[in-house]
Amino acid sequence: MYHYLRNRRNQRYFPLPFIENFLPTKHCHWPFSTFTVQTPNANPSLEAVPSNFHAHSPQRPNLLSTHNLTSTHPAAPSLDKSPPFDQNTLNDIISSNKIITSYIRSGDLSSALRVFRNMTVKTTVTWNAMLAGYSRKPGKLTEAQKLFDQIPEKDTVSYNIMLAGYVQNSDMETVWSFFNSMPSKDIASWNTMISGFAQKGAMAKARELFLAMPEKNSVTWSAMISGYVECGALELAEKFFEFAAVKSVVAWTAMISGYMKFGKIEKAERLFKEMPVKNLVTWNAMIAGYVENCRAEDGLKIFRIMLRYGIRPNHSSLSSVLLGCSELSALQLGKQVHQLVCKSSLRDDTTACTSLISMYCKCGVLDDAWKLFLETKSKDIVSWNAMISGYAQHGAGEKALHLFEEMRGEGIRPDWITFVAVLLACNHAGLVDIGVRYFDSMVKDYGVEPRPDHYTCMVDLLGRAGKLVEAVDLIKKMPFKPHSAIFGTLLGACRIHKNLELAKFAAQNLLNLDPQSAAGYVQLANVYAATNKWDHVARVRRSMKDNKVVKTPGYSWIEIKSTVHEFRSGDRVHPELASIHEKLNELEKKMKLAGYVPDLESALHDVGEEQKEQLLLWHSEKLAIAFGLIVVPYGTPIRVFKNLRVCGDCHRAIKYISAVERREIIVRDTVRFHHFKGGCCSCGDYW
């Protein structure tokens, strides 16, 4: 079903800098105005009744008597024609048709059938309503066929409904045969066929029909454009979009989604600003596109703009926004979205609740995630996975495994994502033997074939525990070619245990698979630095420069009153830098009095000890924590996020800071969460 927003607003400009060049566009509030064709799967979550027929027909209906109901199928009674009817009869038919339509739209076929069977007179519209209910419901195609055969006066709508049912529930050969048998075809018939082939990726056949179609409308062009986008033929989609006689909002939105899918963000932005009319799906495409292209901040900005225009978000909007909040650790906006969910019809929606659980976990608020998990009325496998993963990320391995066993007790069968979370929990808790048992049980007990992610977890589990030889043996036994993450994980374990020979092996394999991998060079350099082989470190860095490999700069950030403050190591631009340095110097004195000794191995530069200490003191996470100590009220946890792993010295220093300042400090790096309190870390110094 294709929706069009009516044009009710005056032209307005976007207020935020990152889209300040967008052209004026027009928007409106609900409801949508609607143009509908018999397109299969247009709204797969609902059993739609075609909206091109109504509870009463503009023409005088054909009336059919049903005094003697005899049928081989309850939905398909045999009927005799009735005598002439009066206005009261017509009013009863109109009322009954409306009731049937309402039941079908809500998915209640049984109630619709009860009303249908009690009607003494039926019109073709009545039959079409019931046919729509059966033809769109999975597993009911046989009943729909029987019902279709019983319709005394079939019209074009009857054939279109049945055609759409075949497209949704049968193979395209059957669909093609039925299409050719239709006594008459209208635009909706052709559009249904083209959409059907497009949705199944048969774009050559869709194009053949498109060229043969006697008359086309905007839906026809939209179906072709959307089909080419879905099958990845973006250039063909562009050509059809360029030559489309009428460009509907569906076509514009399909192109935006396609550009975002292939990382052509600027083209998507240009189309978005040029669109004459936008609907909710368009906004969702932009929000999701930004988030999926690692530009979550822009996604959250455009979501705020959408709200200012009065566009009400749906679960798709909120899921994308919550994913963006998770990536940016934007807890305050995440809480605001939670309020939106609570005030909407989505408050009991499992998908929305699961997205919130995931957001709270990834923002470091595990207690709120658990509370919401308990309040979620209908938990699916995704809900359980989100909570198990949350516990695993936070190092609560035993809780994660207990929850896994509880899930099994509820009769929910784990999937491959569940086992990634379970193995991650074992990994972060150092539960090597238990992790091996779960890995072995995947195929044997659950029929879940191990994927690269599972092998990566196992290599990490064995490597962190110092079982480097076993990790290498596992890599060699993998049933598929190892990917770069496998060797990157092994290389990280070699750095921890200072195994230079295996580090060279892992680095060579990593760089063979991904020559531009900055992580491979950096990790190898770190291994050399940890063993004081500075000439080798210099050689690795020269190799990086020669191969034009750029290391991702490390940075940390902290959210204060919905404002994100970002810090880089040795930061020189933050407006509060003087106060931050003063706080760090004060902390350094307190920590050393408490027994802190800088871990100079974490300073990966061949300089003097005093300079190394200074470099360590200005690491990005320490700068962010010092700022948090200044501005975050006492008693409120300080939450800091980092784009790389926390170094050994920072981990040691933060334990001392949590003790001398009597503050809870939560740090998320690329691997896990660290909860520092009273001089201890939740990871138990195992990360």
Side-chain angles (χ1 to χ4, degrees):
M1 189 176 290
Y2 298 100
H3 297 290
Y4 295 78
L5 283 172
R6 291 191 185 279
N7 189 358
R8 295 181 184 171
R9 284 186 179 261
N10 296 325
Q11 293 184 343
R12 297 165 64 178
Y13 286 91
F14 288 99
L16 292 184
F18 84 106
I19 46 176
E20 62 187 359
N21 295 322
F22 283 1
L23 296 178
T25 55
K26 299 177 183 178
H27 303 268
C28 78
H29 295 287
W30 309 94
F32 291 112
S33 61
T34 311
F35 177 78
T36 307
V37 296
Q38 302 307 311
T39 305
N41 295 326
N43 190 358
S45 64
L46 299 175
E47 293 174 10
V49 175
S51 57
N52 61 344
F53 71 89
H54 306 279
H56 61 89
S57 172
Q59 298 179 347
R60 191 176 182 85
N62 295 320
L63 299 182
L64 305 165
S65 173
T66 59
H67 292 296
N68 299 314
L69 299 180
T70 58
S71 173
T72 58
H73 187 274
S78 300
L79 301 173
D80 298 316
K81 292 200 173 181
S82 70
F85 60 95
D86 55 22
Q87 187 61 41
N88 288 335
T89 302
L90 180 59
N91 290 339
D92 288 342
I93 294 169
I94 293 171
S95 176
S96 296
N97 285 350
K98 287 181 177 179
I99 294 171
I100 289 172
T101 299
S102 176
Y103 278 133
I104 290 174
R105 283 178 175 160
S106 66
D108 189 354
L109 272 179
S110 299
S111 297
L113 179 60
R114 187 169 58 251
V115 176
F116 178 85
R117 295 178 66 183
N118 288 332
M119 291 177 67
T120 57
V121 180
K122 298 178 176 68
T123 67
T124 301
V125 173
T126 315
W127 286 92
N128 286 345
M130 285 304 305
L131 181 63
Y134 278 102
S135 66
R136 302 296 176 86
K137 192 173 183 66
K140 294 290 184 180
L141 184 61
T142 301
E143 289 88 338
Q145 290 170 327
K146 292 178 181 179
L147 185 63
F148 176 78
D149 292 338
Q150 294 284 337
I151 299 177
E153 300 286 342
K154 300 180 184 69
D155 60 10
T156 303
V157 174
S158 310
Y159 280 95
N160 284 341
I161 295 170
M162 197 64 224
L163 180 65
Y166 279 124
V167 168
Q168 183 172 333
N169 298 292
S170 187
D171 60 88
M172 291 307 293
E173 289 185 7
T174 303
V175 174
W176 182 249
S177 176
F178 183 83
F179 177 73
N180 287 327
S181 72
M182 291 173 62
S184 64
K185 304 175 182 69
D186 59 10
I187 291 180
S189 314
W190 288 87
N191 284 341
T192 299
M193 288 298 295
I194 290 172
S195 297
F197 280 116
Q199 289 168 9
K200 295 180 187 301
M203 290 307 299
K205 193 66 179 177
R207 183 181 180 122
E208 179 184 328
L209 283 170
F210 175 85
L211 295 174
M213 189 173 178
E215 183 183 354
K216 304 169 182 65
N217 62 10
S218 63
V219 176
T220 320
W221 289 94
S222 298
M224 292 298 297
I225 293 166
S226 299
Y228 279 123
V229 167
E230 284 300 312
C231 71
L234 192 59
E235 290 184 2
L236 287 172
E238 286 179 313
K239 290 179 180 178
F240 268 79
F241 184 76
E242 179 184 352
F243 290 108
V246 182
K247 296 179 176 69
S248 72
V249 66
V250 177
W252 287 87
T253 303
M255 286 306 305
I256 288 172
S257 298
Y259 284 135
M260 284 296 193
K261 180 180 179 181
F262 290 94
K264 300 180 182 293
I265 300 173
E266 291 182 0
K267 286 190 174 183
E269 290 173 337
R270 177 174 55 78
L271 279 192
F272 185 73
K273 71 181 181 182
E274 291 175 356
M275 282 184 72
V277 178
K278 301 174 179 66
N279 67 8
L280 176 61
V281 182
T282 314
W283 289 92
N284 286 350
M286 288 297 294
I287 296 167
Y290 277 129
V291 173
E292 289 165 4
N293 282 282
C294 301
R295 287 178 54 175
E297 187 174 356
D298 287 340
L300 300 190
K301 286 179 181 177
I302 204 167
F303 174 71
R304 291 189 180 101
I305 294 169
M306 185 185 86
L307 295 181
R308 290 173 195 166
Y309 276 101
I311 307 296
R312 291 168 53 190
N314 63 3
H315 68 86
S316 178
S317 325
L318 298 177
S319 293
S320 295
V321 169
L322 289 170
L323 182 58
C325 291
S326 300
E327 290 184 7
L328 295 174
S329 305
L331 180 60
Q332 296 308 312
L333 179 59
K335 287 182 176 180
Q336 292 171 18
V337 173
H338 190 175
Q339 292 176 351
L340 282 175
V341 171
C342 291
K343 294 175 182 177
S344 73
S345 59
L346 296 171
R347 60 184 175 275
D348 293 326
D349 181 78
T350 302
T351 301
C353 291
T354 300
S355 296
L356 285 167
I357 291 168
S358 181
M359 182 275 296
Y360 279 120
C361 286
K362 291 178 179 177
C363 287
V365 192
L366 201 57
D367 289 344
D368 286 357
W370 176 243
K371 181 180 178 183
L372 189 59
F373 178 79
L374 293 176
E375 293 173 353
T376 302
K377 295 179 180 178
S378 179
K379 301 179 185 69
D380 59 13
I381 182 64
V382 183
S383 308
W384 288 90
N385 286 349
M387 199 64 237
I388 294 170
S389 296
Y391 276 132
Q393 274 190 314
H394 286 262
E398 292 184 0
K399 288 184 178 180
L401 298 182
H402 176 77
L403 195 60
F404 171 71
E405 296 300 332
E406 187 178 330
M407 183 189 82
R408 289 179 57 209
E410 294 285 335
I412 297 176
R413 191 172 184 82
D415 60 11
W416 71 273
I417 297 175
T418 315
F419 279 104
V420 171
V422 167
L423 294 177
L424 194 65
C426 295
N427 185 1
H428 288 169
L431 304 173
V432 180
D433 293 338
I434 295 175
V436 170
R437 285 203 299 272
Y438 276 123
F439 181 76
D440 291 339
S441 73
M442 284 173 55
V443 176
K444 182 175 62 177
D445 297 336
Y446 303 99
V448 177
E449 291 292 337
R451 301 191 182 194
D453 288 347
H454 301 113
Y455 279 96
T456 303
C457 286
M458 288 304 297
V459 170
D460 202 17
L461 175 68
L462 295 169
R464 286 176 191 274
K467 298 178 179 292
L468 295 172
V469 175
E470 290 91 331
V472 172
D473 287 342
L474 183 64
I475 293 174
K476 292 178 179 178
K477 293 176 182 176
M478 286 172 58
F480 37 74
K481 185 178 179 180
H483 59 311
S484 58
I486 289 281
F487 291 109
T489 300
L490 178 62
L491 185 53
C494 292
R495 180 189 62 81
I496 293 172
H497 297 286
K498 301 179 182 179
N499 189 316
L500 190 54
E501 291 305 312
L502 276 182
K504 291 177 182 178
F505 164 79
Q508 186 61 56
N509 280 279
L510 173 57
L511 295 176
N512 286 341
L513 291 169
D514 185 5
Q516 295 299 306
S517 171
Y521 289 100
V522 172
Q523 288 277 40
L524 183 58
N526 289 350
V527 175
Y528 284 131
T531 54
N532 292 316
K533 296 183 181 296
W534 297 107
D535 55 333
H536 289 72
V537 172
R539 189 173 71 245
V540 171
R541 288 176 176 165
R542 279 197 304 272
S543 181
M544 285 183 68
K545 186 176 181 180
D546 293 342
N547 289 293
K548 298 180 180 179
V549 177
V550 180
K551 176 184 177 293
T552 302
Y555 62 90
S556 301
W557 66 96
I558 183 171
E559 184 184 12
I560 306 295
K561 295 181 179 179
S562 299
T563 300
V564 176
H565 296 259
E566 184 180 302
F567 298 89
R568 296 183 184 262
S569 292
D571 198 292
R572 299 181 184 278
V573 297
H574 195 278
E576 299 296 326
L577 201 58
S579 299
I580 292 170
H581 283 174
E582 184 180 344
K583 184 66 177 177
L584 279 175
N585 291 332
E586 173 194 324
L587 286 172
E588 185 181 33
K589 293 175 183 177
K590 288 183 179 179
M591 289 191 295
K592 285 185 174 180
L593 285 174
Y596 163 73
V597 177
D599 179 8
L600 300 183
E601 286 187 4
S602 297
L604 303 175
H605 297 275
D606 188 15
V607 295
E609 289 191 4
E610 186 176 342
Q611 192 172 352
K612 282 187 177 183
E613 287 191 25
Q614 188 66 65
L615 290 172
L616 291 173
L617 188 63
W618 288 355
H619 273 193
S620 64
E621 52 266 61
K622 292 193 183 84
L623 294 170
I625 289 170
F627 181 62
L629 290 170
I630 294 170
V631 298
V632 176
Y634 186 81
T636 302
I638 296 169
R639 292 183 171 85
V640 171
F641 305 87
K642 185 176 173 65
N643 71 325
L644 301 175
R645 282 194 71 190
V646 174
C647 78
D649 178 73
C650 283
H651 191 271
R652 178 186 297 180
I654 299 169
K655 288 196 295 182
Y656 278 96
I657 293 172
S658 70
V660 299
E661 294 291 308
R662 298 179 182 176
R663 299 292 296 266
E664 181 181 359
I665 302 170
I666 301 170
V667 178
R668 188 189 81 179
D669 63 12
T670 53
V671 176
R672 62 177 297 159
F673 278 89
H674 299 264
H675 294 251
F676 298 91
K677 191 173 183 180
C680 298
C681 179
S682 59
C683 74
D685 297 335
Y686 186 90
W687 86 97

